Amino acid sequence: MTDPITAPPVIQTRAIIKSFSGVQALRGVDFAVHPGEIHALLGQNGAGKSTLVKILNGVHKAGSYSGEILVDGKPVAFASTSAARAEGVGYVPQEIEVLEQLSVAENVFAGHTGLGRGPIINRRRMEAEARALFQDLGLAIDPRMLVASLTSAQRHLVMIARALSFKPRVLMLDEPTASLSGVEVERLFSVLRRLKAQGKTMIFITHRLPEVLAICDRATVLRDGRVAAEIDREHFDEEHFIFAMSGQKLQRLYPDHVAPPAKTPPLLSVKNLSIAGRFGVNRGVSDVSFDVRPGEILGLAGLLGSGRTEILHAIYGRIPFSGEIEIDGSPVAIQRSADARAAGVALLTEDRKRDGLLFNLPVGANITIGNLAPLSSHGMVREGREKSAVLAAMRALNVKARSPQASVAHLSGGNQQKLLFARVLMSAPRVLLLDEPTKGVDAGTRHEIYRLIVDLADKGVALVVVASELEEVIGLADRCLVVADGRIVDEFTRGEGSEDKVLRSITTAQATLQQQALAAGAGRA
Amino acid sequence: MEREEHMERTVERDSGFEGSGRAMRDRLTRFVAVGEVGVLLALIVLVTFFYIMEPAFLSERNIRAILRVVSFIGIIAIGQTILLVSGEFDLSVGAVAGLSAVCSAKLMTALALPVPLALLGGVLVGAGVGLVNGLVVVKLKIPAFIQTLGMLFIGQGLIQVVTNGYPVYPLPPVITEIGYADFLFGLGWSFVFFIAAALIADFVLRRTVLGRNMYATGGNPEVARLVGIDTARYKIGAFMTVGALAAVAGMFVMADLASGTTSIGSGWELNVIAGVVVGGVSLFGGAGTMAGGLIGVLLLQVVTSGLVVVGVNANWQQIAVGVIMVLAVGLDILRRRYFIAGSSSAPVAETPSNPS
């Protein structure tokens, strides 16, 4: 933790502690970025990266955490994102946030004042300044173009230009390569190298190790809300990073489960599944095939944006795909979620608030929605039958709510999750797809959910589990597929896997992809 | 009660929150959140107020006048409530009512079709317009506001095209008989139809799978699709229901006037939407009841009529309607905030998850 460099850090945090509803996200983070460096901020999902970033750019306001932020050695307190910007912290978010119907120059200077006289904007001056900015970046983007006509990589560069237009002391780039192809990544890196040559200081937030090795000067690795390691370029080494990122966590207790015999015929077969990438969100999925046997828990391990969620959504008919899905060896046509349900497939979605709960309906109706057919006759809901089904489901899954009439909004995260499990299980699915089944639930519920998953497998349900925490996938799954950039890059069975191994195969796959893309780019040039 | 309090505390502890004022606040908000209770109280207060100001307000004649208007507008409000619950709304109902009325009038006069067939034709015109609205909104993803506002103009234009601007009369005597029937305190057939349709619609919304799926569709269409509900069909169906009911209302007014007048339905769309929204039917979909929506329509009519009876300048009626509607929507937004604030009161993330 000693600084080999003597110049004062451009931005520094001291003992930052931040908790959400009693859960500590950051447990005393000391983080320092020195002038002129590209500093990597690394960590697995949930390590505290985004919390730290949100504190540094003023999303989490001063006072909502303890500890200190110093810019050029001076303590600062950010009351808002614009305060952080005024103190010289530039931030380029991961999601592309542009105003499509405006020109490039207007996008770059959105949020600026004083570009002309009073409220009237001097368009010529704005365009000239934007052109100068792009020249500095070594880019040939015409400031008068409509942003709607730009590619996602170009839009990203516009956002970088926007952040630079505020003349920041330090520029934070949040997963800048998440939605870029290999060639585009290389182009972005040349922009970053140029900025570095001009003396700019940058923080590069990522979980892709090859990129850190390629461009960063120093790295801070977060794990469980603490700084696990601070590494200089001369000590850069994949092993070192992987060890720092995964560390030795306390083993959680997972219920025992014996995988079904290998010769059991598969219940769900996915053959040559491909999904088109979504513009600016991910790179899609290409040619993924796998089988799941009845009673088997299959884990999909991979980083965010790797395509693991998309695979589940495709099987459930939520997004269009090409390829074949077979249940019990016979192909089923899945075009809508209703088709998947009819085939005995159920999906538990990741985001309870966005696509899980119906906040306009009470607990009971939330459980029975979509499952009303057996609880009704002649189209009328039989209240008695519905109520007893709801109570039975609530009891079976230990959903704690005041009554079936209670509002779902006031349940705890764990109870909301169990409620959604109750909904999904009411249709007695044979194939269950679980996307982050323990996201945002307390430790007790987490264990209940693990128990439930294993019980379902014991009853012959085929389960596919996606989880951000590698340890969870590894602990729970009988067999684990590693997904990186929309492909399956590795596979191992229970006992063979470890977090190290997963991270390593992802890193190898990403490095290969990057090289391939570079070769392709070079071939084209 | 004691048990409820105990559970409440458990829930609070579960969500990691403490605070003694919270339970009380919760209960108050929840009371307000029940749409019908608030609007019913407001209705009683207003009726009492106008009665004290001017006892003639509760005269038989005035009550009949209020209920007559409510029976026409209320028929459309039934459809509008269903549509709002499914997450859309229709601004073209007034024009559709007028268009259906003059079309059926033309069918029974110019084309000399039998009256039942002509009336059916009118209903089909309404349902057809609803089908177009629904298809455009659902399939072409054009916002309901734009599509139905456009349809309002189109409908008004078509009324002129069909009639050349002249009222269609005389109508067959059966129509006049329907309009002049004065049983049930002189309220007649339109009121009977209104009550029957309201009871059926209320039953459908509250007790049937169809109704439940409607609420799910309006509450969160994404979730509804995920649980296998064909949200497109539900929305289009709701648009057609509004259209057909608007047609029925338009034809009742036609019978009442004994003439296919071109002004039938003009300006109703806002009264209908304002009414049901005042009654707690959410503009954002998925919330509200038939009883609430119809009490809201009655409330607005009571205010309009009350101000006249009390002797307030007619210009103030519209101002009052406007103020009441804004207040009601404000209440709706507060109610929604209560739900959404509630949803975030649960611990957001156990391990602070990385949204990146």
Side-chain angles (χ1 to χ4, degrees), chain A residues 23 25 49-50 94 304 316 318 354 360 379 381 383 386 409 441, chain B residues 11 30 207 209 212 215 220 222 226-227 286 342-343 350 352 354 356:
Chain A
V23 182
K49 264 182 312 182
S50 13
Q94 184 192 354
L304 255 153
Y316 195 65
R318 217 184 156 189
R354 219 188 50 213
N360 60 328
V381 179
E383 277 177 18
E386 182 184 21
V441 308
Chain B
V11 171
R30 208 167 296 143
R207 302 289 298 276
V209 178
R212 192 70 68 74
Y215 278 101
N220 186 335
E222 198 54 46
L226 279 172
V227 300
S343 72
E350 183 68 13
N354 189 336
S356 57

PDB file of all heavy atoms in Angstrom, chain A residues 23 25 49-50 94 304 316 318 354 360 379 381 383 386 409 441, chain B residues 11 30 207 209 212 215 220 222 226-227 286 342-343 350 352 354 356:
ATOM      1  N   VAL A  23     -26.119  -3.472   5.017  1.00  0.00           N
ATOM      2  CA  VAL A  23     -25.132  -4.350   4.402  1.00  0.00           C
ATOM      3  C   VAL A  23     -23.967  -3.488   3.936  1.00  0.00           C
ATOM      4  O   VAL A  23     -24.166  -2.526   3.191  1.00  0.00           O
ATOM      5  CB  VAL A  23     -25.729  -5.094   3.193  1.00  0.00           C
ATOM      6  CG1 VAL A  23     -24.701  -6.027   2.595  1.00  0.00           C
ATOM      7  CG2 VAL A  23     -26.965  -5.846   3.601  1.00  0.00           C
ATOM      8  N   ALA A  25     -21.150  -2.264   1.776  1.00  0.00           N
ATOM      9  CA  ALA A  25     -20.673  -2.430   0.411  1.00  0.00           C
ATOM     10  C   ALA A  25     -19.191  -2.098   0.335  1.00  0.00           C
ATOM     11  O   ALA A  25     -18.433  -2.742  -0.385  1.00  0.00           O
ATOM     12  CB  ALA A  25     -21.458  -1.521  -0.523  1.00  0.00           C
ATOM     13  N   LYS A  49     -17.001  -2.144  -6.753  1.00  0.00           N
ATOM     14  CA  LYS A  49     -16.528  -1.229  -7.796  1.00  0.00           C
ATOM     15  C   LYS A  49     -17.517  -0.106  -8.072  1.00  0.00           C
ATOM     16  O   LYS A  49     -17.161   1.063  -8.009  1.00  0.00           O
ATOM     17  CB  LYS A  49     -16.369  -2.009  -9.120  1.00  0.00           C
ATOM     18  CG  LYS A  49     -15.000  -2.502  -9.420  1.00  0.00           C
ATOM     19  CD  LYS A  49     -15.004  -3.195 -10.780  1.00  0.00           C
ATOM     20  CE  LYS A  49     -16.146  -4.180 -10.905  1.00  0.00           C
ATOM     21  NZ  LYS A  49     -16.205  -4.905 -12.135  1.00  0.00           N
ATOM     22  N   SER A  50     -18.752  -0.477  -8.401  1.00  0.00           N
ATOM     23  CA  SER A  50     -19.665   0.601  -8.791  1.00  0.00           C
ATOM     24  C   SER A  50     -20.009   1.479  -7.626  1.00  0.00           C
ATOM     25  O   SER A  50     -20.251   2.670  -7.826  1.00  0.00           O
ATOM     26  CB  SER A  50     -20.942   0.112  -9.442  1.00  0.00           C
ATOM     27  OG  SER A  50     -21.128  -1.190  -9.288  1.00  0.00           O
ATOM     28  N   GLN A  94     -21.153   3.506 -18.464  1.00  0.00           N
ATOM     29  CA  GLN A  94     -21.090   2.333 -19.328  1.00  0.00           C
ATOM     30  C   GLN A  94     -22.189   2.371 -20.377  1.00  0.00           C
ATOM     31  O   GLN A  94     -21.953   2.101 -21.548  1.00  0.00           O
ATOM     32  CB  GLN A  94     -21.225   1.071 -18.475  1.00  0.00           C
ATOM     33  CG  GLN A  94     -21.087  -0.182 -19.280  1.00  0.00           C
ATOM     34  CD  GLN A  94     -21.510  -1.399 -18.485  1.00  0.00           C
ATOM     35  OE1 GLN A  94     -21.807  -1.311 -17.313  1.00  0.00           O
ATOM     36  NE2 GLN A  94     -21.540  -2.526 -19.134  1.00  0.00           N
ATOM     37  N   LEU A 304     -21.104 -10.376 -16.462  1.00  0.00           N
ATOM     38  CA  LEU A 304     -22.229  -9.621 -16.987  1.00  0.00           C
ATOM     39  C   LEU A 304     -21.978  -9.275 -18.445  1.00  0.00           C
ATOM     40  O   LEU A 304     -20.864  -8.935 -18.815  1.00  0.00           O
ATOM     41  CB  LEU A 304     -22.379  -8.331 -16.196  1.00  0.00           C
ATOM     42  CG  LEU A 304     -23.543  -8.344 -15.229  1.00  0.00           C
ATOM     43  CD1 LEU A 304     -23.271  -7.433 -14.083  1.00  0.00           C
ATOM     44  CD2 LEU A 304     -24.793  -7.937 -15.958  1.00  0.00           C
ATOM     45  N   TYR A 316     -36.845 -19.197 -23.086  1.00  0.00           N
ATOM     46  CA  TYR A 316     -38.181 -18.881 -22.583  1.00  0.00           C
ATOM     47  C   TYR A 316     -39.017 -18.091 -23.608  1.00  0.00           C
ATOM     48  O   TYR A 316     -40.128 -17.679 -23.329  1.00  0.00           O
ATOM     49  CB  TYR A 316     -38.080 -18.100 -21.270  1.00  0.00           C
ATOM     50  CG  TYR A 316     -39.381 -18.042 -20.502  1.00  0.00           C
ATOM     51  CD1 TYR A 316     -39.950 -19.203 -19.981  1.00  0.00           C
ATOM     52  CD2 TYR A 316     -40.063 -16.848 -20.314  1.00  0.00           C
ATOM     53  CE1 TYR A 316     -41.150 -19.165 -19.298  1.00  0.00           C
ATOM     54  CE2 TYR A 316     -41.256 -16.790 -19.622  1.00  0.00           C
ATOM     55  CZ  TYR A 316     -41.795 -17.964 -19.120  1.00  0.00           C
ATOM     56  OH  TYR A 316     -42.986 -17.923 -18.437  1.00  0.00           O
ATOM     57  N   ARG A 318     -38.465 -15.130 -24.880  1.00  0.00           N
ATOM     58  CA  ARG A 318     -38.581 -13.702 -24.611  1.00  0.00           C
ATOM     59  C   ARG A 318     -37.854 -12.880 -25.662  1.00  0.00           C
ATOM     60  O   ARG A 318     -38.209 -11.728 -25.912  1.00  0.00           O
ATOM     61  CB  ARG A 318     -37.981 -13.421 -23.241  1.00  0.00           C
ATOM     62  CG  ARG A 318     -38.737 -12.374 -22.511  1.00  0.00           C
ATOM     63  CD  ARG A 318     -38.068 -12.049 -21.221  1.00  0.00           C
ATOM     64  NE  ARG A 318     -38.472 -10.711 -20.847  1.00  0.00           N
ATOM     65  CZ  ARG A 318     -37.944 -10.039 -19.849  1.00  0.00           C
ATOM     66  NH1 ARG A 318     -36.996 -10.582 -19.127  1.00  0.00           N
ATOM     67  NH2 ARG A 318     -38.359  -8.828 -19.578  1.00  0.00           N
ATOM     68  N   ARG A 354     -38.439  -4.802 -12.252  1.00  0.00           N
ATOM     69  CA  ARG A 354     -38.741  -4.470 -13.642  1.00  0.00           C
ATOM     70  C   ARG A 354     -39.591  -5.541 -14.289  1.00  0.00           C
ATOM     71  O   ARG A 354     -40.552  -5.243 -14.970  1.00  0.00           O
ATOM     72  CB  ARG A 354     -37.450  -4.257 -14.424  1.00  0.00           C
ATOM     73  CG  ARG A 354     -37.567  -3.112 -15.392  1.00  0.00           C
ATOM     74  CD  ARG A 354     -36.362  -3.046 -16.294  1.00  0.00           C
ATOM     75  NE  ARG A 354     -36.116  -4.347 -16.871  1.00  0.00           N
ATOM     76  CZ  ARG A 354     -34.907  -4.808 -17.165  1.00  0.00           C
ATOM     77  NH1 ARG A 354     -33.861  -4.075 -16.930  1.00  0.00           N
ATOM     78  NH2 ARG A 354     -34.750  -5.984 -17.706  1.00  0.00           N
ATOM     79  N   ASN A 360     -49.286  -3.510  -8.764  1.00  0.00           N
ATOM     80  CA  ASN A 360     -50.690  -3.107  -8.663  1.00  0.00           C
ATOM     81  C   ASN A 360     -51.569  -4.225  -8.124  1.00  0.00           C
ATOM     82  O   ASN A 360     -52.748  -4.024  -7.933  1.00  0.00           O
ATOM     83  CB  ASN A 360     -51.205  -2.635 -10.024  1.00  0.00           C
ATOM     84  CG  ASN A 360     -51.119  -3.727 -11.073  1.00  0.00           C
ATOM     85  OD1 ASN A 360     -50.229  -4.563 -11.037  1.00  0.00           O
ATOM     86  ND2 ASN A 360     -52.055  -3.730 -11.994  1.00  0.00           N
ATOM     87  N   GLY A 379     -64.203 -19.436 -16.618  1.00  0.00           N
ATOM     88  CA  GLY A 379     -63.594 -18.112 -16.683  1.00  0.00           C
ATOM     89  C   GLY A 379     -63.702 -17.306 -15.399  1.00  0.00           C
ATOM     90  O   GLY A 379     -63.201 -16.200 -15.325  1.00  0.00           O
ATOM     91  N   VAL A 381     -62.805 -16.746 -11.467  1.00  0.00           N
ATOM     92  CA  VAL A 381     -61.830 -17.164 -10.468  1.00  0.00           C
ATOM     93  C   VAL A 381     -62.602 -17.661  -9.248  1.00  0.00           C
ATOM     94  O   VAL A 381     -63.452 -16.951  -8.715  1.00  0.00           O
ATOM     95  CB  VAL A 381     -60.918 -15.983 -10.069  1.00  0.00           C
ATOM     96  CG1 VAL A 381     -59.926 -16.422  -9.023  1.00  0.00           C
ATOM     97  CG2 VAL A 381     -60.208 -15.434 -11.292  1.00  0.00           C
ATOM     98  N   GLU A 383     -62.737 -17.961  -5.704  1.00  0.00           N
ATOM     99  CA  GLU A 383     -61.959 -17.290  -4.658  1.00  0.00           C
ATOM    100  C   GLU A 383     -61.441 -18.253  -3.597  1.00  0.00           C
ATOM    101  O   GLU A 383     -60.307 -18.135  -3.153  1.00  0.00           O
ATOM    102  CB  GLU A 383     -62.776 -16.176  -4.026  1.00  0.00           C
ATOM    103  CG  GLU A 383     -62.690 -14.910  -4.855  1.00  0.00           C
ATOM    104  CD  GLU A 383     -63.541 -13.776  -4.316  1.00  0.00           C
ATOM    105  OE1 GLU A 383     -63.938 -13.831  -3.136  1.00  0.00           O
ATOM    106  OE2 GLU A 383     -63.810 -12.846  -5.083  1.00  0.00           O
ATOM    107  N   GLU A 386     -58.594 -20.239  -5.020  1.00  0.00           N
ATOM    108  CA  GLU A 386     -57.413 -19.408  -5.188  1.00  0.00           C
ATOM    109  C   GLU A 386     -56.750 -19.153  -3.833  1.00  0.00           C
ATOM    110  O   GLU A 386     -55.542 -19.301  -3.687  1.00  0.00           O
ATOM    111  CB  GLU A 386     -57.761 -18.066  -5.841  1.00  0.00           C
ATOM    112  CG  GLU A 386     -56.528 -17.214  -6.074  1.00  0.00           C
ATOM    113  CD  GLU A 386     -56.826 -15.831  -6.623  1.00  0.00           C
ATOM    114  OE1 GLU A 386     -57.954 -15.347  -6.471  1.00  0.00           O
ATOM    115  OE2 GLU A 386     -55.908 -15.241  -7.219  1.00  0.00           O
ATOM    116  N   ALA A 409     -45.225  -4.476  -2.322  1.00  0.00           N
ATOM    117  CA  ALA A 409     -44.180  -3.462  -2.236  1.00  0.00           C
ATOM    118  C   ALA A 409     -43.482  -3.496  -0.887  1.00  0.00           C
ATOM    119  O   ALA A 409     -42.316  -3.155  -0.777  1.00  0.00           O
ATOM    120  CB  ALA A 409     -44.781  -2.089  -2.485  1.00  0.00           C
ATOM    121  N   VAL A 441     -31.150 -10.922  -1.683  1.00  0.00           N
ATOM    122  CA  VAL A 441     -31.888 -11.541  -0.587  1.00  0.00           C
ATOM    123  C   VAL A 441     -30.928 -11.761   0.581  1.00  0.00           C
ATOM    124  O   VAL A 441     -29.715 -11.841   0.395  1.00  0.00           O
ATOM    125  CB  VAL A 441     -32.557 -12.871  -1.001  1.00  0.00           C
ATOM    126  CG1 VAL A 441     -33.393 -12.696  -2.247  1.00  0.00           C
ATOM    127  CG2 VAL A 441     -31.526 -13.959  -1.223  1.00  0.00           C
TER     128      VAL A 441
ATOM    129  N   VAL B  11     -42.671  -7.564   9.438  1.00  0.00           N
ATOM    130  CA  VAL B  11     -42.358  -7.169   8.076  1.00  0.00           C
ATOM    131  C   VAL B  11     -41.328  -6.057   8.094  1.00  0.00           C
ATOM    132  O   VAL B  11     -40.375  -6.056   7.334  1.00  0.00           O
ATOM    133  CB  VAL B  11     -43.645  -6.724   7.341  1.00  0.00           C
ATOM    134  CG1 VAL B  11     -43.298  -6.101   6.007  1.00  0.00           C
ATOM    135  CG2 VAL B  11     -44.571  -7.916   7.155  1.00  0.00           C
ATOM    136  N   ARG B  30     -52.611   3.870   3.039  1.00  0.00           N
ATOM    137  CA  ARG B  30     -53.338   2.742   2.479  1.00  0.00           C
ATOM    138  C   ARG B  30     -54.819   3.069   2.379  1.00  0.00           C
ATOM    139  O   ARG B  30     -55.483   2.675   1.442  1.00  0.00           O
ATOM    140  CB  ARG B  30     -53.104   1.506   3.347  1.00  0.00           C
ATOM    141  CG  ARG B  30     -53.219   0.231   2.569  1.00  0.00           C
ATOM    142  CD  ARG B  30     -52.672  -0.937   3.376  1.00  0.00           C
ATOM    143  NE  ARG B  30     -51.259  -0.811   3.643  1.00  0.00           N
ATOM    144  CZ  ARG B  30     -50.677  -1.190   4.777  1.00  0.00           C
ATOM    145  NH1 ARG B  30     -51.407  -1.690   5.757  1.00  0.00           N
ATOM    146  NH2 ARG B  30     -49.387  -1.072   4.931  1.00  0.00           N
ATOM    147  N   ARG B 207     -63.819 -10.546 -10.745  1.00  0.00           N
ATOM    148  CA  ARG B 207     -63.963 -11.955 -10.425  1.00  0.00           C
ATOM    149  C   ARG B 207     -63.480 -12.920 -11.500  1.00  0.00           C
ATOM    150  O   ARG B 207     -63.450 -14.116 -11.272  1.00  0.00           O
ATOM    151  CB  ARG B 207     -65.441 -12.259 -10.109  1.00  0.00           C
ATOM    152  CG  ARG B 207     -65.999 -11.429  -8.961  1.00  0.00           C
ATOM    153  CD  ARG B 207     -65.405 -11.864  -7.630  1.00  0.00           C
ATOM    154  NE  ARG B 207     -65.743 -13.244  -7.341  1.00  0.00           N
ATOM    155  CZ  ARG B 207     -66.881 -13.636  -6.777  1.00  0.00           C
ATOM    156  NH1 ARG B 207     -67.767 -12.762  -6.410  1.00  0.00           N
ATOM    157  NH2 ARG B 207     -67.104 -14.915  -6.539  1.00  0.00           N
ATOM    158  N   VAL B 209     -60.927 -14.466 -14.708  1.00  0.00           N
ATOM    159  CA  VAL B 209     -59.541 -14.586 -15.167  1.00  0.00           C
ATOM    160  C   VAL B 209     -59.244 -13.452 -16.142  1.00  0.00           C
ATOM    161  O   VAL B 209     -58.184 -12.829 -16.107  1.00  0.00           O
ATOM    162  CB  VAL B 209     -59.338 -15.951 -15.867  1.00  0.00           C
ATOM    163  CG1 VAL B 209     -57.917 -16.067 -16.397  1.00  0.00           C
ATOM    164  CG2 VAL B 209     -59.648 -17.078 -14.903  1.00  0.00           C
ATOM    165  N   ARG B 212     -58.545 -10.295 -14.214  1.00  0.00           N
ATOM    166  CA  ARG B 212     -57.248 -10.364 -13.536  1.00  0.00           C
ATOM    167  C   ARG B 212     -56.117 -10.156 -14.534  1.00  0.00           C
ATOM    168  O   ARG B 212     -55.181  -9.404 -14.297  1.00  0.00           O
ATOM    169  CB  ARG B 212     -57.123 -11.718 -12.850  1.00  0.00           C
ATOM    170  CG  ARG B 212     -55.972 -11.828 -11.887  1.00  0.00           C
ATOM    171  CD  ARG B 212     -56.161 -11.011 -10.623  1.00  0.00           C
ATOM    172  NE  ARG B 212     -57.210 -11.510  -9.770  1.00  0.00           N
ATOM    173  CZ  ARG B 212     -57.116 -12.604  -9.027  1.00  0.00           C
ATOM    174  NH1 ARG B 212     -56.019 -13.315  -9.037  1.00  0.00           N
ATOM    175  NH2 ARG B 212     -58.110 -12.981  -8.252  1.00  0.00           N
ATOM    176  N   TYR B 215     -55.715  -6.525 -15.417  1.00  0.00           N
ATOM    177  CA  TYR B 215     -54.940  -5.766 -14.428  1.00  0.00           C
ATOM    178  C   TYR B 215     -53.441  -6.048 -14.590  1.00  0.00           C
ATOM    179  O   TYR B 215     -52.615  -5.154 -14.502  1.00  0.00           O
ATOM    180  CB  TYR B 215     -55.368  -6.115 -12.995  1.00  0.00           C
ATOM    181  CG  TYR B 215     -56.594  -5.374 -12.537  1.00  0.00           C
ATOM    182  CD1 TYR B 215     -57.838  -5.978 -12.532  1.00  0.00           C
ATOM    183  CD2 TYR B 215     -56.503  -4.053 -12.117  1.00  0.00           C
ATOM    184  CE1 TYR B 215     -58.971  -5.296 -12.117  1.00  0.00           C
ATOM    185  CE2 TYR B 215     -57.624  -3.350 -11.701  1.00  0.00           C
ATOM    186  CZ  TYR B 215     -58.864  -3.983 -11.703  1.00  0.00           C
ATOM    187  OH  TYR B 215     -59.968  -3.295 -11.299  1.00  0.00           O
ATOM    188  N   ASN B 220     -48.004  -4.248 -15.599  1.00  0.00           N
ATOM    189  CA  ASN B 220     -46.664  -4.387 -16.179  1.00  0.00           C
ATOM    190  C   ASN B 220     -46.755  -5.357 -17.351  1.00  0.00           C
ATOM    191  O   ASN B 220     -46.747  -6.569 -17.164  1.00  0.00           O
ATOM    192  CB  ASN B 220     -45.680  -4.902 -15.118  1.00  0.00           C
ATOM    193  CG  ASN B 220     -44.251  -4.923 -15.625  1.00  0.00           C
ATOM    194  OD1 ASN B 220     -44.005  -5.012 -16.834  1.00  0.00           O
ATOM    195  ND2 ASN B 220     -43.298  -4.842 -14.720  1.00  0.00           N
ATOM    196  N   GLU B 222     -44.769  -6.364 -19.487  1.00  0.00           N
ATOM    197  CA  GLU B 222     -43.639  -7.284 -19.620  1.00  0.00           C
ATOM    198  C   GLU B 222     -43.874  -8.526 -18.751  1.00  0.00           C
ATOM    199  O   GLU B 222     -43.722  -9.662 -19.211  1.00  0.00           O
ATOM    200  CB  GLU B 222     -42.369  -6.548 -19.174  1.00  0.00           C
ATOM    201  CG  GLU B 222     -41.084  -7.162 -19.638  1.00  0.00           C
ATOM    202  CD  GLU B 222     -41.035  -7.377 -21.138  1.00  0.00           C
ATOM    203  OE1 GLU B 222     -41.403  -6.453 -21.891  1.00  0.00           O
ATOM    204  OE2 GLU B 222     -40.642  -8.485 -21.548  1.00  0.00           O
ATOM    205  N   LEU B 226     -44.622 -12.439 -19.779  1.00  0.00           N
ATOM    206  CA  LEU B 226     -43.792 -13.516 -19.226  1.00  0.00           C
ATOM    207  C   LEU B 226     -44.625 -14.624 -18.597  1.00  0.00           C
ATOM    208  O   LEU B 226     -44.230 -15.777 -18.625  1.00  0.00           O
ATOM    209  CB  LEU B 226     -42.827 -12.954 -18.171  1.00  0.00           C
ATOM    210  CG  LEU B 226     -41.568 -12.300 -18.717  1.00  0.00           C
ATOM    211  CD1 LEU B 226     -40.804 -11.614 -17.602  1.00  0.00           C
ATOM    212  CD2 LEU B 226     -40.677 -13.335 -19.389  1.00  0.00           C
ATOM    213  N   VAL B 227     -45.774 -14.271 -18.012  1.00  0.00           N
ATOM    214  CA  VAL B 227     -46.595 -15.331 -17.433  1.00  0.00           C
ATOM    215  C   VAL B 227     -47.562 -15.901 -18.476  1.00  0.00           C
ATOM    216  O   VAL B 227     -48.452 -16.669 -18.138  1.00  0.00           O
ATOM    217  CB  VAL B 227     -47.367 -14.877 -16.171  1.00  0.00           C
ATOM    218  CG1 VAL B 227     -46.407 -14.432 -15.094  1.00  0.00           C
ATOM    219  CG2 VAL B 227     -48.362 -13.791 -16.495  1.00  0.00           C
ATOM    220  N   GLY B 286     -53.539  -0.460 -14.812  1.00  0.00           N
ATOM    221  CA  GLY B 286     -53.455  -1.505 -13.813  1.00  0.00           C
ATOM    222  C   GLY B 286     -54.100  -1.216 -12.479  1.00  0.00           C
ATOM    223  O   GLY B 286     -54.082  -2.058 -11.606  1.00  0.00           O
ATOM    224  N   GLY B 342     -42.668   2.073  -1.662  1.00  0.00           N
ATOM    225  CA  GLY B 342     -42.712   0.829  -0.909  1.00  0.00           C
ATOM    226  C   GLY B 342     -41.790  -0.203  -1.521  1.00  0.00           C
ATOM    227  O   GLY B 342     -41.065  -0.890  -0.818  1.00  0.00           O
ATOM    228  N   SER B 343     -41.785  -0.251  -2.836  1.00  0.00           N
ATOM    229  CA  SER B 343     -40.997  -1.291  -3.486  1.00  0.00           C
ATOM    230  C   SER B 343     -39.515  -1.092  -3.231  1.00  0.00           C
ATOM    231  O   SER B 343     -38.746  -2.028  -3.240  1.00  0.00           O
ATOM    232  CB  SER B 343     -41.273  -1.287  -4.987  1.00  0.00           C
ATOM    233  OG  SER B 343     -40.692  -0.156  -5.579  1.00  0.00           O
ATOM    234  N   GLU B 350     -28.419  -7.329  -1.226  1.00  0.00           N
ATOM    235  CA  GLU B 350     -27.744  -7.946  -0.084  1.00  0.00           C
ATOM    236  C   GLU B 350     -26.248  -7.716  -0.252  1.00  0.00           C
ATOM    237  O   GLU B 350     -25.606  -6.997   0.490  1.00  0.00           O
ATOM    238  CB  GLU B 350     -28.071  -9.438  -0.067  1.00  0.00           C
ATOM    239  CG  GLU B 350     -27.490 -10.179   1.104  1.00  0.00           C
ATOM    240  CD  GLU B 350     -28.169  -9.745   2.385  1.00  0.00           C
ATOM    241  OE1 GLU B 350     -29.224  -9.085   2.307  1.00  0.00           O
ATOM    242  OE2 GLU B 350     -27.640 -10.036   3.440  1.00  0.00           O
ATOM    243  N   PRO B 352     -24.100  -5.623  -2.384  1.00  0.00           N
ATOM    244  CA  PRO B 352     -24.356  -4.501  -3.278  1.00  0.00           C
ATOM    245  C   PRO B 352     -23.960  -4.883  -4.690  1.00  0.00           C
ATOM    246  O   PRO B 352     -22.780  -4.919  -5.019  1.00  0.00           O
ATOM    247  CB  PRO B 352     -23.472  -3.389  -2.721  1.00  0.00           C
ATOM    248  CG  PRO B 352     -22.487  -4.080  -1.849  1.00  0.00           C
ATOM    249  CD  PRO B 352     -23.124  -5.317  -1.356  1.00  0.00           C
ATOM    250  N   ASN B 354     -23.369  -5.187  -8.627  1.00  0.00           N
ATOM    251  CA  ASN B 354     -22.694  -4.300  -9.547  1.00  0.00           C
ATOM    252  C   ASN B 354     -23.533  -4.152 -10.803  1.00  0.00           C
ATOM    253  O   ASN B 354     -23.661  -5.087 -11.573  1.00  0.00           O
ATOM    254  CB  ASN B 354     -21.351  -4.944  -9.900  1.00  0.00           C
ATOM    255  CG  ASN B 354     -20.482  -4.001 -10.667  1.00  0.00           C
ATOM    256  OD1 ASN B 354     -20.989  -3.085 -11.304  1.00  0.00           O
ATOM    257  ND2 ASN B 354     -19.187  -4.220 -10.604  1.00  0.00           N
ATOM    258  N   SER B 356     -22.959  -2.641 -13.337  1.00  0.00           N
ATOM    259  CA  SER B 356     -22.183  -2.433 -14.557  1.00  0.00           C
ATOM    260  C   SER B 356     -22.118  -3.703 -15.363  1.00  0.00           C
ATOM    261  O   SER B 356     -22.306  -4.784 -14.852  1.00  0.00           O
ATOM    262  CB  SER B 356     -20.772  -1.994 -14.211  1.00  0.00           C
ATOM    263  OG  SER B 356     -20.167  -2.931 -13.376  1.00  0.00           O
TER     264      SER B 356
END
